[in-house]
Amino acid sequence: VDGEAEIRINTFPTKAIDTTGAGDAFVAGFIKGLTEELPTVKCVMYGNVLGSLAVEKLGASGHKYEKEEIERRLQYVARFTLSED
């Protein structure tokens, strides 16, 4: 909900190993989208993608996410990549 519309966002299908840090990863992705001046809906999609990466690993810190994997998941879930925008 952005004050004008309510939109449902798809998630990336993933196998959750540990949900610790998933919310933090989502927020980090959302903020990254904001810094890229993406529309709110794309910021949410970016957050969802980072959250999906976070739950695939054990623990909440020390993980690195490759740009290529983030881009692939954005393309799958949201049909966009950061390099296009």
Side-chain angles (χ1 to χ4, degrees):
V1 176
D2 69 0
E4 296 180 19
E6 179 179 326
I7 301 168
R8 294 196 182 264
I9 306 297
N10 289 331
T11 59
F12 186 84
T14 188
K15 181 178 179 183
I17 294 172
D18 183 0
T19 60
T20 306
D24 293 336
F26 171 87
V27 171
F30 187 88
I31 291 170
K32 174 64 175 169
L34 290 176
T35 65
E36 298 289 329
E37 299 182 355
L38 298 176
T40 302
V41 68
K42 289 188 177 186
C43 293
V44 172
M45 292 174 186
Y46 196 83
N48 279 349
V49 165
L50 287 189
S52 76
L53 286 164
V55 301
E56 292 178 349
K57 300 186 186 289
L58 189 60
S61 64
H63 307 298
K64 293 184 180 181
Y65 306 114
E66 298 297 324
K67 180 179 179 182
E68 294 77 21
E69 178 64 9
I70 294 168
E71 293 277 354
R72 186 178 69 76
R73 290 185 185 205
L74 281 172
Q75 182 63 35
Y76 179 89
V77 171
R79 305 289 185 254
F80 82 97
T81 63
L82 292 177
S83 53
E84 290 177 0
D85 294 303

